[in-house]
Amino acid sequence: MSGLEDNESHSPTKASGHPNGAHKPLPPRINGTKTSTRPSIHNRKESNPLAPPFIVSAPGKTIVYGEHAVVHGKAAIAAAISLRSYLLCTTLSKSKRTVSLQFPDIGLDHTWSIPELPWAAFQREGKRKRYYDLVTALDPELVEAMAPFIEVVSAGVKAQMRERHQQAARAFLYLFLSLGSESSPACVYALRSTVPVGVGLGSSGSICVCISTALLLQCRALSGPHPDQMSKEADEQLERINRWAFVGELLIHGNPSGVDNTVATNGHAVLFQRTDYAKPPRVQVLRDFPELPLLLIDTCQAKSTAAEVAKVGHLKTAHPEVTNRVFDAIDSITRSAHDVVTGDDPSSNESITHLGELMTLNHGLLTSLGVSHPRLERLRYLVDQSGVGWTKLTGAGGGGCAITLLRPEQPAPSNGTRSSTQTIGHSTALEDLEHRLREEGFAKYETTLGGDGVGVLYPAVINGEEIDQDIFLGVESREGVEELVGGRDDRDAWKYWRP
């Protein structure tokens, strides 16, 4: 039986609940059966079986309403998308004392010797962190202690790519040194992702959630997930994952908002607002956010988040009264969407239409702030002409991505069947749009808005087939990764924390 269950034969990480973080070791098992604990002959210590490989997965995110206004104290709604990152964790034999990162999608491949890592710095009195601690800032001394081990990562690679590699390595190593120990098992952490990088879809947040979850599982600081888990316990587990994922984001972004890792951890959607940057943001997880069909379209136009944010900041300085009214209007749109998705029937055709119309209004207001782009406007024109849905930019604008919420298909006749004209008409319009998008150089991803957050596949088996490292790393495309590990034909394989 695959998945993490609430029993010793299937869970590698049953937490003891001891207040000092100590954990009672589990008896060694092979395929769910206890191994013998009798003394071995010739005074040789029996070796413990290796933990089976497992996979952790977390979604990317998109901002649905409220971008830019959120920078100025207004609310925003961000939601999970079904494009995800997948981290395969393969424990090595005891003779190995190394930890490796293999992230082929960005070309990162690096190995450290576990005994040589700066454990002394991380375990000094006052520095050592427990899995249940709240860490809101990086310790400069610990970052400095890691520096020699980061500088050697991808030393011969071009500067821009080397910086990306070292950011990922820095986030991983800080968490590994914080949550692990010098006796941590040797392991290879292999990452594949279907989330496009650098286009505002929360790629790094998704990866940090995968790393945080994997390390917390390995240090036995999580239990489950399992179907009968108490809601409070599941919520506490997710909060633990989210806290450490945020630490990873600190290593990558310096001053992250926390939205990306929160959505990647919890899934569904969040209402997010930060009125005072000296204080934590207010975050409300919207667990009843409906799963909605979405086209995510990349304009393939490079953009600078910093430049677009600065542009709006200058506009506010020059025209504060008008700009603040635009922010207020965007905030009203976000609040109206919140009312719909927390209402009685957020998945109804009327609710979806309401949400789509709000997206159109939101895009218009963002355009008035000067953060659209001719490629975004061309895209919106093509979608409007097709009649398949409502489109708005997502993220900073100035290029990047847009999202299209698909219109509900025409209601079926009263006899419960759908006419061929209705079905063909809807699909033909979408196919025609996709053809035009390809012709004009847009990249399209079909995805779903809302849905589950972090999940675990333990052991790494789907449809009775084990996913080993060679198979996992050998898949060539995003579609191939999703087909291999997404579990479309084995819905019970993946387990999620669901408060």
Side-chain angles (χ1 to χ4, degrees):
M1 181 175 180
S2 60
L4 289 178
E5 302 293 344
D6 191 22
N7 57 61
E8 291 181 346
S9 66
H10 292 284
S11 174
T13 53
K14 183 81 176 189
S16 69
H18 194 286
N20 66 5
H23 300 275
K24 181 180 178 181
L26 298 179
R29 294 172 180 259
I30 301 177
N31 296 329
T33 303
K34 281 188 179 180
T35 61
S36 172
T37 57
R38 69 181 184 275
S40 60
I41 60 174
H42 306 305
N43 295 319
R44 293 177 60 187
K45 182 180 179 182
E46 289 187 348
S47 62
N48 290 328
L50 296 180
F54 67 95
I55 304 177
V56 178
S57 173
K61 74 93 179 59
T62 186
I63 298 179
V64 190
Y65 305 98
E67 46 270 271
H68 284 288
V70 71
V71 177
H72 299 274
K74 304 302 182 182
I77 291 177
I81 54 177
S82 55
L83 302 177
R84 302 176 70 94
S85 298
Y86 299 91
L87 186 71
L88 172 66
C89 307
T90 306
T91 303
L92 305 179
S93 67
K94 284 192 172 184
S95 62
K96 305 285 188 181
R97 296 305 300 138
T98 58
V99 59
S100 300
L101 300 183
Q102 294 189 11
F103 295 5
D105 297 332
I106 61 171
L108 171 60
D109 187 347
H110 189 80
T111 297
W112 293 281
S113 168
I114 294 175
E116 294 176 4
L117 292 172
W119 296 107
F122 275 77
Q123 294 180 352
R124 286 204 312 269
E125 187 68 29
K127 299 291 185 182
R128 178 64 177 165
K129 298 298 181 184
R130 300 294 183 181
Y131 66 84
Y132 47 76
D133 285 338
L134 173 63
V135 179
T136 57
L138 301 175
D139 187 319
E141 292 183 23
L142 300 183
V143 174
E144 182 64 25
M146 284 198 322
F149 300 89
I150 301 301
E151 290 169 1
V152 296
V153 174
S154 302
V157 177
K158 291 183 179 179
Q160 185 176 1
M161 185 58 71
R162 181 171 68 249
E163 176 57 25
R164 178 175 291 177
H165 290 183
Q166 292 185 352
Q167 283 180 339
R170 194 177 293 116
F172 170 84
L173 195 57
Y174 196 97
L175 267 62
F176 183 72
L177 289 164
S178 297
L179 295 170
S181 71
E182 197 168 350
S183 61
S184 291
C187 190
V188 176
Y189 299 89
L191 180 84
R192 302 303 304 272
S193 182
T194 65
V195 185
V197 176
V199 293
L201 296 177
S203 173
S204 66
S206 172
I207 293 168
C208 286
V209 169
C210 288
I211 293 171
S212 167
T213 306
L215 295 176
L216 286 166
L217 285 168
Q218 288 178 317
C219 75
R220 300 173 179 260
L222 297 175
S223 61
H226 48 84
D228 58 348
Q229 192 165 31
M230 297 290 289
S231 179
K232 181 181 178 182
E233 182 186 60
D235 200 40
E236 289 173 350
Q237 305 274 296
L238 290 173
E239 177 59 24
R240 188 170 297 162
I241 292 167
N242 195 29
R243 285 181 177 186
W244 283 103
F246 180 73
V247 176
E249 284 278 81
L250 286 171
L251 272 299
I252 294 174
H253 294 299
N255 185 31
S257 68
V259 170
D260 290 11
N261 51 277
T262 300
V263 175
T265 300
N266 291 280
H268 310 292
V270 300
L271 180 71
F272 179 93
Q273 185 173 20
R274 173 172 264 160
T275 55
D276 183 349
Y277 274 77
K279 298 178 181 178
R282 295 199 298 269
V283 178
Q284 177 190 357
V285 180
L286 308 175
R287 300 199 185 279
D288 293 327
F289 192 92
E291 291 191 42
L292 301 171
L294 192 75
L295 293 183
L296 177 65
I297 305 169
D298 189 351
T299 63
C300 301
Q301 171 65 44
K303 51 91 179 176
S304 167
T305 298
E308 299 305 315
V309 170
K311 183 190 298 182
V312 176
H314 293 320
L315 194 64
K316 182 181 178 182
T317 300
H319 307 283
E321 184 175 349
V322 174
T323 306
N324 282 327
R325 288 182 182 273
V326 174
F327 293 155
D328 288 339
I330 292 175
D331 189 65
S332 296
I333 289 170
T334 302
R335 301 293 178 181
S336 180
H338 174 265
D339 291 343
V340 171
V341 300
T342 57
D344 294 334
D345 193 2
S347 299
S348 69
N349 286 358
E350 292 77 12
S351 294
I352 294 172
T353 299
H354 186 108
L355 294 173
E357 290 170 349
L358 291 177
M359 288 174 61
T360 300
L361 289 169
N362 198 168
H363 181 87
L365 291 168
L366 291 168
T367 301
S368 75
L369 293 174
V371 296
S372 189
H373 184 276
R375 288 280 287 171
L376 286 165
E377 294 309 312
R378 175 60 179 169
L379 170 59
R380 207 165 72 90
Y381 172 79
L382 292 174
V383 176
D384 285 350
Q385 288 294 104
S386 72
V388 302
W390 304 269
T391 297
K392 67 176 285 292
L393 67 85
T394 182
C401 290
I403 53 175
T404 296
L405 177 62
L406 296 178
R407 293 180 184 273
E409 293 188 34
Q410 293 296 316
S414 57
N415 62 7
T417 62
R418 187 184 302 280
S419 72
S420 60
T421 304
Q422 290 169 327
T423 302
I424 292 172
H426 191 277
S427 61
T428 299
L430 190 55
E431 289 168 1
D432 289 345
L433 172 63
E434 292 171 353
H435 178 70
R436 293 295 299 273
L437 293 174
R438 284 194 300 271
E439 279 189 334
E440 300 196 20
F442 295 98
K444 176 192 69 69
Y445 306 89
E446 289 190 36
T447 182
T448 303
L449 198 63
D452 282 304
V454 61
V456 181
L457 180 68
Y458 181 88
V461 175
I462 289 184
N463 295 319
E465 297 292 329
E466 181 177 342
I467 301 167
D468 65 22
Q469 193 172 307
D470 290 339
I471 294 172
F472 186 70
L473 294 175
V475 180
E476 294 185 355
S477 65
R478 287 189 176 96
E479 293 78 11
V481 171
E482 188 60 41
E483 183 177 349
L484 176 68
V485 295
R488 291 173 182 166
D489 300 323
D490 192 355
R491 294 294 183 181
D492 295 329
W494 284 91
K495 299 293 185 290
Y496 303 92
W497 285 272
R498 289 171 173 162

